[in-house]
Structure formats: structure tokens, C-alpha cells
Amino acid sequence: MNILDKIVIDKRKEVDLRKKLIPISQLENSVLFNRETVSLAYKLRNSKSGIIAEHKRRSPSKSVINNNLNVQDVASGYENAGVCGMSVLTDGKYFGGSLDDLLTARASCNLPLLRKEFIIDEYQMLEAKAYGADVILLIAAILTRDDIKKFSEFAKSLKLDVLLEVHNEEELQKSIMPSIDMLGVNNRNLKTFDVSLNTSKNLSSKIPDDFVKVSESGISNIEAIKELQPYGYQGFLIGENFMKTDNPGASAKEFIKNLSLL
């Protein structure tokens, strides 16, 4: 059993409990539920940098990254830096995040917000909408093709963008469908935690041009982005690189400035 399998087992228990505590009607009546969402896919297609910056306190692979920052400062800092969107980890047990982090980020910036979560139930998409997200993440490794179709179509009915994450060609082939906006390639091997940009390079030609290509994990310098852009990648999810500093917003600003100079 790899880390993803463990997370999914815990996530099912967590979602079952949340469904008992907060009914769907309560989510649908929330203030943010009917706000107009902002398309991250559109922003990435029209950006020179393509940076999606993340708020992440810790991870199973790196333990604690940064527990000292508040979400408000990180979100406003990222917006000031000129990133395309912000990814907010909402998993508590493994990543130290929460839905309140998403709510705080929404109140602090106008960026497209991605709810970074292990989605295994439509209820979590209603939560995402109610807490101010514009985009949801679907992870092919934990979903069947039918799940991906059902969840992505439901997300589209909520006017949410869909970022579908794959790790290999098998996952990619079951994920290509019109209800997906962005295809993200995670460069991290879930069994070993090793990271290689070759994963993104090898899969790039197999991703149809209808989708915005996003590369995730292991992007810690501008050289990595310059290496991946010729392969058609327009989005780059950067988490630890900014979050391990004292001022993620300032780090992102400097990163984007240096990227524009090359």
C-alpha cells in the first residue's frame, strides 16, 4: 500500500463524517456558492509565466515545510507577485491544510483558487464551490474512468475548472475527455517520491492540444520551466520552492521577474 492508498482510506472516513455534519443544502446556501468563478485554464493560456503558486504547510514526502505563515499574507503576496493562480491544500491529516485556508485565501485575493484535495466524492466539489474555489483537482491514480467522467462533468455543472493529474501514460489514456480543462503531469513517483522532469517530457506528446498542459512537482528553478516550455507546457505548479522561504510572495515575485528576463 502506497501513501496515496492510505490517504484515500482516511479521506473516505473524513468525507462520510463531514456529510453527516454539514448537509448539502447548507453548502448550497453559503455566501460564496453563487459567485462567478474565474477560469485558471484561460489565465494559463494567456500568461507568459504560467505559475500556479501553492500554500502548503507540510507533506508526507518533506514533513514540515512552513508552519509559520498565515494564509492571508501568502495569498495577497502571490497576487502581488503576478502568479496565474493559487493552489490551496485543504487536507488536514497529511498536509496540515483546511477548508478555512481556502476561505481565507478567497477573502485575501482575486486569483483563481485551486482546491488541492483528494477528491473521491461529489460532496467535496460542493464544498470547494461553497468555500470559494474556482478549480478542483482530480487525481487519476485514485479514480476510475467512470469516476473521472462523473466528477469532471459535475464540476463543470458548478462552473468549476478541472485539473486532472496523471503520473503515467496509463492514467493519461483513461483521463482524456472533453470535461477536463487542464492535464497536469506529476513528476513525483508516488512509490519512491523521486522526482524527474522526464515524466512531463515523455507524456507531453500524448496530451492533445485541446488541454492546457501543466507540470507539477520538482519545479524549483526557472531553468526547469524553460526546459519544459518547448514541450507545450503552459502551467507550472510550484509549492515547496516558495513556501520554504520566509516570504513566499516576495520569492514568487523574484522568480517571475527572473523568468521574464530569460
Side-chain angles (χ1 to χ4, degrees), residues 235-254:
F236 306 93
L237 183 66
I238 301 179
E240 292 158 17
N241 195 50
F242 300 144
M243 281 301 293
K244 66 188 180 187
T245 67
D246 293 332
N247 189 331
S251 302
K253 191 169 193 171
E254 183 71 11

Side-chain angles (χ1 to χ4, degrees), residues 27-37 129-130 158:
L27 294 174
E28 290 176 337
N29 288 324
S30 70
V31 176
L32 291 171
F33 197 83
N34 291 313
R35 69 174 272 275
E36 197 169 323
T37 52
K129 181 83 169 167
L158 295 172

Side-chain angles (χ1 to χ4, degrees), residues 18-29 123 126:
R18 293 183 76 88
K19 285 165 92 169
K20 288 174 188 167
L21 293 172
I22 303 173
I24 286 172
S25 59
Q26 190 173 325
L27 294 174
E28 290 176 337
N29 288 324
Y123 180 84
L126 293 168

Side-chain angles (χ1 to χ4, degrees), residues 5-176:
D5 297 328
K6 291 177 188 168
I7 291 172
V8 169
I9 289 168
D10 287 332
K11 192 58 60 179
R12 291 198 186 282
K13 294 176 190 167
E14 180 193 317
V15 173
D16 286 345
L17 179 61
R18 293 183 76 88
K19 285 165 92 169
K20 288 174 188 167
L21 293 172
I22 303 173
I24 286 172
S25 59
Q26 190 173 325
L27 294 174
E28 290 176 337
N29 288 324
S30 70
V31 176
L32 291 171
F33 197 83
N34 291 313
R35 69 174 272 275
E36 197 169 323
T37 52
V38 185
S39 172
L40 177 60
Y42 177 82
K43 291 256 186 186
L44 292 176
R45 283 193 194 278
N46 295 280
S47 165
K48 287 181 180 165
S49 75
I51 304 297
I52 307 163
E54 195 154 81
H55 179 270
K56 177 161 64 172
R57 291 187 179 87
R58 66 173 189 262
S59 74
S61 61
K62 291 284 174 74
S63 190
V64 174
I65 298 162
N66 197 329
N67 275 331
N68 303 319
L69 301 168
N70 70 62
V71 182
Q72 183 178 348
D73 290 344
V74 175
S76 57
Y78 281 158
E79 184 169 39
N80 182 50
V83 304
C84 287
M86 178 176 175
S87 166
V88 182
L89 261 299
T90 60
D91 174 77
K93 181 169 182 179
Y94 295 90
F95 290 87
S98 71
L99 276 165
D100 283 343
D101 288 340
L102 187 59
L103 205 57
T104 303
R106 179 75 288 147
S108 309
C109 72
N110 293 311
L111 293 167
L113 294 182
L114 164 69
R115 182 186 185 189
K116 187 94 174 282
E117 183 54 272
F118 302 87
I119 289 183
I120 42 108
D121 194 295
E122 289 178 351
Y123 180 84
Q124 292 163 287
M125 287 176 266
L126 293 168
E127 284 182 322
K129 181 83 169 167
Y131 281 78
D134 302 279
V135 193
I136 56 124
L137 175 74
L138 296 179
I139 302 172
I142 61 174
L143 301 170
T144 65
R145 181 174 174 82
D146 287 344
D147 288 335
I148 293 168
K149 185 173 189 297
K150 181 173 75 168
F151 291 165
S152 58
E153 287 175 355
F154 186 63
K156 298 316 290 178
S157 76
L158 295 172
K159 304 287 193 295
L160 294 168
D161 268 11
V162 179
L163 170 62
L164 192 288
E165 176 181 296
V166 301
H167 298 84
N168 54 48
E169 188 175 352
E170 183 188 354
E171 290 175 9
L172 175 62
Q173 292 309 328
K174 74 175 181 183
S175 307
I176 294 173

Side-chain angles (χ1 to χ4, degrees), residues 157-249:
S157 76
L158 295 172
K159 304 287 193 295
L160 294 168
D161 268 11
V162 179
L163 170 62
L164 192 288
E165 176 181 296
V166 301
H167 298 84
N168 54 48
E169 188 175 352
E170 183 188 354
E171 290 175 9
L172 175 62
Q173 292 309 328
K174 74 175 181 183
S175 307
I176 294 173
M177 56 188 75
S179 43
I180 303 294
D181 301 287
M182 295 159 282
L183 271 162
V185 179
N186 193 328
N187 300 305
R188 190 184 305 282
N189 183 310
L190 291 174
K191 292 180 178 144
T192 63
F193 288 138
D194 290 342
V195 175
S196 171
L197 295 184
N198 286 332
T199 309
S200 282
K201 292 176 184 176
N202 294 338
L203 289 179
S204 65
S205 62
K206 298 174 175 69
I207 301 173
D209 291 337
D210 309 358
F211 305 100
V212 177
K213 297 180 193 177
V214 178
S215 188
E216 309 168 14
S217 296
I219 300 164
S220 57
N221 53 49
I222 53 179
E223 287 74 26
I225 290 178
K226 290 297 179 186
E227 214 178 303
L228 290 168
Q229 281 174 333
Y231 289 85
Y233 286 91
Q234 293 174 291
F236 306 93
L237 183 66
I238 301 179
E240 292 158 17
N241 195 50
F242 300 144
M243 281 301 293
K244 66 188 180 187
T245 67
D246 293 332
N247 189 331

